[in-house]
Amino acid sequence: MKNKIPVSINREHVLKLLSKGMRIDGRDLLNYRPISINFEVAGKADGSASVRFGDTYVMVGVKAEIGKPFPDTPGEGVLLVNAEFVPLASPDFEPGPPNEDAIELARVVDRGLRKGEVVDLKELCIVPGEKVWMLWVDIYILDHNGNLMDAAALASLAALMNTKLPEVKVEGEEIIKTGKFKPLNIKDYPIAVTLGKIGGSFIVDPLLDEEQLMDCRLTVITTKSGNICALQKSFSGTFSQGDVLKALNIAVEKGKELRDLLFSSFEKFSSSKA
Amino acid sequence: MDEEIKLIDENGLRVDGRRFDELRPVRIEVGVLKNADGSALIVQGRTKILAAVYGPREIHPKHLSKPDRAVLRCRYHMAPFSVEDRKSPAPSRRETELSKVIREALEPAILLEKFPRTCIDVFVEVLEADGGTRCAGVTAASVALADAGIPMKDLVVGCAAGKVDGVVVVDLCDIEDKYGEVDVPVAYMPNKGLISLLQMDGILTMEEFEKALNLAIDGCKKIYEVQKAALKRKYDFTEKLKREADKSEE
């Protein structure tokens, strides 16, 4: 049980530093921890990636299955996001079905991917009304040290960028896999940036200790062109209207940084494979 | 389905004939349930929601209790007959998320520290869903909390804005929510001027978002007047006496 200093004792120290524009790990308020993004980390998955923000470690695997479309969207494939808070990731995680935090995380990541139009679901249709690709995006939290939301969203997008779908042919009733693969067509690159409000200051990429002291947080997901595609306020505090607008501007800026990092990591990975 | 649905007509009016900044008619009734410590019914257009509050009361299981304050618990739930196709009564992932955001929208308004080691349960039952249920749920729940006599810093009001057919509008109905582009639910504490719930689902530019947020907050301020009037109808005795006097004169 390391780092188990009671939150209330830490609070004074954290707030005092923040008022001077400093963090407990020496970062500036609006700096991320060192980030690393790795692709193709699970061989059996159709796409996968892992992301580390400092000691936070999240893995995402994408599995593609052929299934039946939803009756109200017969010409579209299906994108499903699920998050598992694996018990090995934190002393606070317990085995069992996803709790409300895991459900919220998965739903916010889902909203970002869907509304950010990462994939055109129409392209995932094989036989309208009958057979479509179902993409399961499974988020696996492996080490929880704060800011799961941003790490999970980034890892999910990275895993989709790395996803290859089997090429299929339709012959009568049957669907035949040709044995070839083609990469998933990625349309946009929405990035989640979570702003934490703590003692009147905004911070990005909170540590677990900071997260427990935050009044509230706002997750802002922005597209490549700098528009907002999803928002989620959580925790029990409040924002003023000015706070919200300030947060959005920071999120657009930080989103750009993370997106550039994602692109350069992906390029490095692609060239290492070539 | 890909057929085009026109959400804004040539006169700039919406599917139900409203202008972009017009709310649906809102009616709130206080104290509609006998057993609950506080309750409220909200009817907003065709959305109909009951909220009930139990507590402060003993918490069960006890290990969940907090030594310095009350625990707020919230359950948002949709009746199986509240939507077009029957909804399974088992809680869905959506309901779990909404229960969380509604709880977090109400929590900053309540003086939980007045009731250590207890819990306050808020139940939000959607009887008829026609868009904007989480916001109407927050509005009704905060009136029910007031009806239960729980001390609060402010009422909390919910109202959504969004974008349909390229136009930023307030208080989306179900068709607008389904076929429109964007939904921005907001909960607001009108006296404090603070936002306690904010979500968004769809693409907006910065300018559009600012406009939507302003429309939602204006909507909240209007619904706040309905909340106050509803509470006064039950609790303002001078008004009650006046009403009775008027009646006897007739």
Side-chain angles (χ1 to χ4, degrees):
Chain A
M1 297 287 273
K2 48 182 184 173
N3 299 334
K4 275 282 158 185
I5 300 169
V7 171
S8 50
I9 295 174
N10 247 348
R11 187 181 169 85
E12 294 293 308
H13 175 57
V14 174
L15 290 181
K16 211 164 132 193
L17 279 178
L18 282 173
S19 67
K20 291 188 226 154
M22 293 192 289
R23 310 268 291 266
I24 34 180
D25 60 353
R27 272 183 293 161
D28 289 341
L29 302 193
L30 298 181
N31 273 353
Y32 274 78
R33 287 168 284 180
I35 298 174
S36 69
I37 306 170
N38 284 300
F39 298 87
E40 232 173 79
V41 291
K44 290 282 170 78
D46 297 292
S48 60
S50 67
V51 165
R52 286 177 192 273
F53 284 8
D55 294 327
T56 287
Y57 183 22
V58 177
M59 188 186 273
V60 171
V62 177
K63 277 291 214 181
E65 279 175 5
I66 296 174
K68 226 178 147 53
F70 290 121
D72 55 338
T73 51
E76 291 183 11
V78 179
L79 180 73
L80 297 137
V81 182
N82 178 55
E84 293 291 329
F85 285 16
V86 191
L88 61 75
S90 161
D92 299 328
F93 290 173
E94 285 173 36
N99 65 5
E100 63 172 23
D101 294 322
I103 289 175
E104 184 187 35
L105 178 101
R107 285 180 58 86
V108 173
V109 171
D110 178 283
R111 226 174 283 159
L113 296 175
R114 202 175 293 280
K115 300 297 169 174
E117 292 165 4
V118 171
V119 279
D120 183 355
L121 294 177
K122 291 197 181 77
E123 289 178 11
L124 298 180
C125 180
I126 304 169
V127 182
E130 291 297 326
K131 302 267 192 243
V132 296
W133 283 113
M134 306 180 81
L135 294 181
W136 288 90
V137 178
D138 280 295
I139 299 166
Y140 235 54
I141 308 296
L142 296 179
D143 211 347
H144 176 23
N145 292 290
N147 201 17
L148 294 180
M149 193 72 90
D150 297 3
L154 192 64
S156 302
L157 179 56
L160 286 170
M161 287 165 76
N162 172 234
T163 298
K164 290 183 185 69
L165 291 181
E167 211 175 66
V168 290
K169 271 197 310 208
V170 185
E171 278 179 14
E173 292 281 283
E174 285 198 42
I175 305 234
I176 294 160
K177 291 187 180 167
T178 62
K180 282 189 221 152
F181 291 86
K182 61 168 199 271
L184 195 63
N185 192 1
I186 305 291
K187 303 271 184 192
D188 203 331
Y189 300 86
I191 299 287
V193 173
T194 298
L195 280 302
K197 197 177 135 193
I198 172 165
S201 323
F202 273 123
I203 57 169
V204 299
D205 191 26
L207 298 163
L208 197 51
D209 276 349
E210 293 170 329
E211 227 162 56
Q212 285 163 346
L213 295 172
M214 269 166 14
D215 304 320
C216 53
R217 65 176 190 201
L218 185 65
T219 300
V220 184
I221 310 188
T222 53
T223 62
K224 208 176 162 195
S225 50
N227 293 327
I228 314 147
C229 68
L231 286 176
Q232 178 88 345
K233 175 248 166 192
S234 42
F235 297 174
S236 299
T238 53
F239 288 109
S240 71
Q241 224 170 324
D243 282 342
V244 172
L245 298 178
K246 192 174 142 199
L248 294 188
N249 284 312
I250 298 171
V252 172
E253 282 306 306
K254 289 283 138 189
K256 256 183 226 151
E257 278 175 33
L258 289 184
R259 194 175 295 110
D260 288 343
L261 182 73
L262 176 65
F263 287 159
S264 64
S265 306
F266 191 62
E267 222 163 87
K268 221 179 276 166
F269 162 75
S270 307
S271 60
S272 75
K273 285 207 76 184
Chain B
M1 300 294 140
D2 272 356
E3 64 218 61
E4 279 296 302
I5 292 165
K6 239 179 153 343
L7 294 173
I8 304 277
D9 72 4
E10 53 283 354
N11 302 318
L13 295 180
R14 297 155 64 180
V15 275
D16 48 7
R18 283 183 289 155
R19 292 186 310 274
F20 76 97
D21 61 348
E22 202 175 330
L23 299 173
R24 292 173 287 181
V26 185
R27 182 166 63 90
I28 298 173
E29 278 173 45
V30 184
V32 288
L33 301 176
K34 182 82 178 59
N35 267 331
D37 296 312
S39 61
L41 171 76
I42 184 165
V43 183
Q44 188 160 349
R46 287 177 51 208
T47 287
K48 192 192 281 180
I49 297 172
L50 263 180
V53 171
Y54 283 86
R57 64 178 175 180
E58 204 166 297
I59 187 167
H60 185 82
K62 277 208 164 123
H63 67 86
L64 295 176
S65 71
K66 297 243 168 85
D68 58 339
R69 61 201 203 96
V71 171
L72 180 66
R73 296 192 292 201
C74 181
R75 180 186 192 249
Y76 165 97
H77 186 249
M78 291 179 104
F81 47 80
S82 64
V83 279
E84 221 59 57
D85 301 319
R86 179 179 182 268
K87 188 211 148 281
S88 153
S92 64
R93 287 158 62 93
R94 177 178 171 274
E95 287 167 304
T96 306
E97 186 202 338
L98 294 198
S99 299
K100 178 175 189 283
V101 295
I102 292 174
R103 185 189 73 225
E104 292 172 344
L106 297 169
E107 219 169 341
I110 306 173
L111 296 165
L112 292 170
E113 59 277 16
K114 297 266 184 213
F115 308 101
R117 292 180 299 279
T118 65
C119 75
I120 298 170
D121 283 309
V122 176
F123 300 105
V124 175
E125 278 295 329
V126 179
L127 304 178
E128 223 177 302
D130 187 41
T133 55
R134 81 195 70 180
C135 292
V138 167
T139 305
S142 97
V143 171
L145 281 162
D147 185 38
I150 289 167
M152 289 192 283
K153 298 172 195 159
D154 202 344
L155 283 171
V156 187
V157 206
C159 183
K163 185 168 137 185
V164 297
D165 271 359
V167 182
V168 178
V169 300
V170 75
D171 189 20
L172 283 71
C173 65
D174 192 42
I175 298 175
E176 291 176 317
D177 188 17
K178 255 196 203 108
Y179 299 101
E181 296 99 282
V182 189
D183 181 26
V184 188
V186 174
Y188 188 66
M189 293 159 60
N191 290 303
K192 298 268 173 196
L194 292 172
I195 297 162
S196 65
L197 179 154
L198 177 61
Q199 294 180 288
M200 188 173 104
D201 181 331
I203 296 184
L204 286 184
T205 63
M206 237 15 148
E207 294 72 38
E208 287 171 328
F209 174 78
E210 248 190 280
K211 205 170 157 193
L213 187 60
N214 282 323
L215 270 182
I217 288 176
D218 283 347
C220 287
K221 286 176 182 164
K222 286 179 198 157
I223 299 171
Y224 174 57
E225 297 302 321
V226 184
Q227 282 181 317
K228 274 197 300 191
L231 283 165
K232 274 189 185 160
R233 266 201 308 280
K234 184 171 175 194
Y235 289 104
D236 190 331
F237 288 100
T238 54
E239 273 197 18
K240 215 175 205 174
L241 288 176
K242 215 193 287 165
R243 271 205 303 278
E244 272 159 23
D246 287 350
K247 224 180 241 170
S248 61
E249 265 172 42
E250 283 165 15

